[in-house]
Amino acid sequence: MSASSETALRPGNPPGRPPGQRRSATVKRAGRRRARPGSKAAYAYIAPFFLVFAAFSVYPWLDTAWVSLHNVRLTTYDKQTWVGLENYRNLFSNTFFWNALRNTVTIGIISTVPQLCMALGIAHLLNYKLRGRTFFRVAMLMPYATSLAAATVIFLELFDQNLGIVNWGLHVLHLPQPDWQGSKWPSQVAISAIITWRWTGYNALIYLAGMQAIDSALYEAAAIDGANRWQQFRNVTLPGLRPTILFTIVVSTIGAAQLFGEPLLYHNGIPNGGTSGQYQTLGLLMYQQGWANDRLGLASATAWTMFAIIVLAVLLNLSLSRRRERKIGAVAPLTAPVASLEVTR
């Protein structure tokens, strides 16, 4: 009789069961028994977060949805009248809503696209060995750490129509000097400049962290093949940063949809968004409806509409990214034989 058969016929190993199976099952059950107290302790550790999250996020979220179906006044909050979807119908038939939606989209595009492009370029420069890299990295976070109110006041002085340095420079160049507060597009450009100045360094550090996670052997191989820095950036850095770029696009989209502080302070704390609403965003409209016009039901409907717009924008970005990845994955097997032929030449 062989050793394996003797092991299989030993007590505790019934015939037909592989050797060690019962022992492994016993070890697993014992491991589960030992893991149960630890798992309870883990739930106890994370319970405070979920309690705070439920109290300050889930409950207000559900209460806002309930309030959006009622006619509610800020002065008489306890007296709520059921109106169903009437607040949503009034919102979608309101010209101020569509004006705020257009302004939100345009300011978001004007501020997000240059911001991410500049952040990517700055991160690419800081990824190389430069003197004073630590100083530049810290300096990039200074605008993000600056108070929003202070930054807005400074930009108000810069874009002042009569005494601002921007119009002074345009006057020196014999160019027209626009009204940076009273006109639609100049005011949106000025607000976008505030957003870009504050968030470019923050996104640059995120890109820099993503670049440093890329294997340096890829750059060495590209340099050996004769690729210059632009070719390395296009063929090595950008593909390696694709998840990071998607993350910054999604976060910037959410931030653009919730834009509130910059346009509010740019008009001295008045939520009208300019004299004719030329830069009133959805966040300002929600604030105006709830606290200035005393219509919390309509403001809650605006908040839920903003939430739906953000979800749709994020899903659109994710679907476009996945479609692009599928195309790249489909093209890669076709280009691999060509690359191998080039290498063997």
Side-chain angles (χ1 to χ4, degrees):
M1 185 179 293
S2 63
S4 61
S5 60
E6 291 178 359
T7 306
L9 293 177
R10 285 178 183 173
N13 284 297
R17 177 173 292 180
Q21 182 175 352
R22 185 175 181 180
R23 185 184 303 170
S24 61
T26 305
V27 172
K28 289 180 180 178
R29 285 195 295 270
R32 291 195 192 99
R33 294 193 193 101
R34 289 195 299 268
R36 284 175 185 173
S39 61
K40 292 180 180 178
Y43 285 120
Y45 282 125
I46 64 176
F49 164 76
F50 286 103
L51 292 176
V52 174
F53 179 75
F56 294 98
S57 295
V58 177
Y59 172 72
W61 183 59
L62 297 176
D63 185 66
T64 302
W66 178 254
V67 171
S68 68
L69 303 176
H70 293 76
N71 184 13
V72 185
R73 299 287 179 176
L74 184 62
T75 54
T76 57
Y77 186 79
D78 296 334
K79 299 178 181 179
Q80 300 182 3
T81 306
W82 174 267
V83 294
L85 299 177
E86 186 64 27
N87 286 325
Y88 292 92
R89 284 192 287 267
N90 292 336
L91 181 67
F92 295 144
S93 61
N94 193 342
T95 58
F96 291 101
F97 167 76
W98 296 107
N99 175 66
L101 179 61
R102 287 191 298 269
N103 293 338
T104 303
V105 172
T106 54
I107 294 176
I109 294 174
I110 297 172
S111 61
T112 301
V113 175
Q115 172 193 146
L116 297 183
C117 291
M118 288 190 295
L120 190 60
I122 293 173
H124 181 64
L125 293 176
L126 291 179
N127 195 31
Y128 291 102
K129 294 182 179 180
L130 300 174
R131 291 184 178 178
R133 283 192 304 174
T134 304
F135 169 76
F136 289 115
R137 292 175 183 177
V138 174
M140 283 192 306
L141 276 180
M142 293 303 294
Y144 174 72
T146 305
S147 169
L148 175 60
T152 306
V153 169
I154 292 173
F155 275 86
L156 276 173
E157 296 295 332
L158 292 175
F159 287 102
D160 186 84
Q161 186 178 5
N162 298 320
L163 303 176
I165 192 173
V166 176
N167 275 355
W168 175 81
L170 294 175
H171 174 72
V172 171
L173 297 174
H174 302 285
L175 296 175
Q177 300 122 48
D179 185 1
W180 296 103
Q181 282 188 307
S183 302
K184 178 179 179 179
W185 291 110
S187 60
Q188 292 188 7
V189 169
I191 294 174
S192 300
I194 303 174
I195 302 169
T196 302
W197 179 79
R198 292 192 69 225
W199 292 97
T200 299
Y202 177 83
N203 289 313
L205 286 184
I206 294 178
Y207 287 147
L208 181 60
M211 290 177 184
Q212 292 179 348
I214 300 174
D215 191 0
S216 59
L218 298 175
Y219 292 100
E220 294 175 0
I224 292 174
D225 290 339
N228 55 29
R229 289 194 173 184
W230 168 247
Q231 291 172 337
Q232 293 178 20
F233 175 77
R234 187 166 54 91
N235 298 316
V236 178
T237 304
L238 288 182
L241 278 181
R242 189 174 294 114
T244 308
I245 293 174
L246 177 62
F247 169 76
T248 55
I249 291 175
V250 170
V251 172
S252 299
T253 302
I254 295 174
Q258 297 176 340
L259 188 60
F260 175 75
E262 288 84 353
L264 177 67
L265 296 174
Y266 196 73
H267 195 51
N268 300 321
I270 302 174
N272 296 335
T275 54
S276 57
Q278 62 268 23
Y279 51 89
Q280 185 180 49
T281 60
L282 290 175
L284 284 181
L285 180 65
M286 179 184 65
Y287 178 83
Q288 184 183 33
Q289 291 168 342
W291 276 262
N293 300 339
D294 196 21
R295 300 189 64 182
L296 287 184
L298 191 59
S300 300
T302 306
W304 264 87
T305 304
M306 291 172 59
F307 174 73
I309 292 172
I310 291 173
V311 171
L312 290 176
V314 171
L315 292 177
L316 179 62
N317 287 329
L318 292 177
S319 62
L320 292 176
S321 176
R322 290 175 181 174
R323 184 178 301 178
R324 179 178 177 83
E325 288 179 358
R326 292 194 198 101
K327 290 181 180 179
I328 294 174
V331 172
L334 298 177
T335 57
V338 178
S340 63
L341 289 174
E342 292 178 354
V343 170
T344 56
R345 283 179 183 177

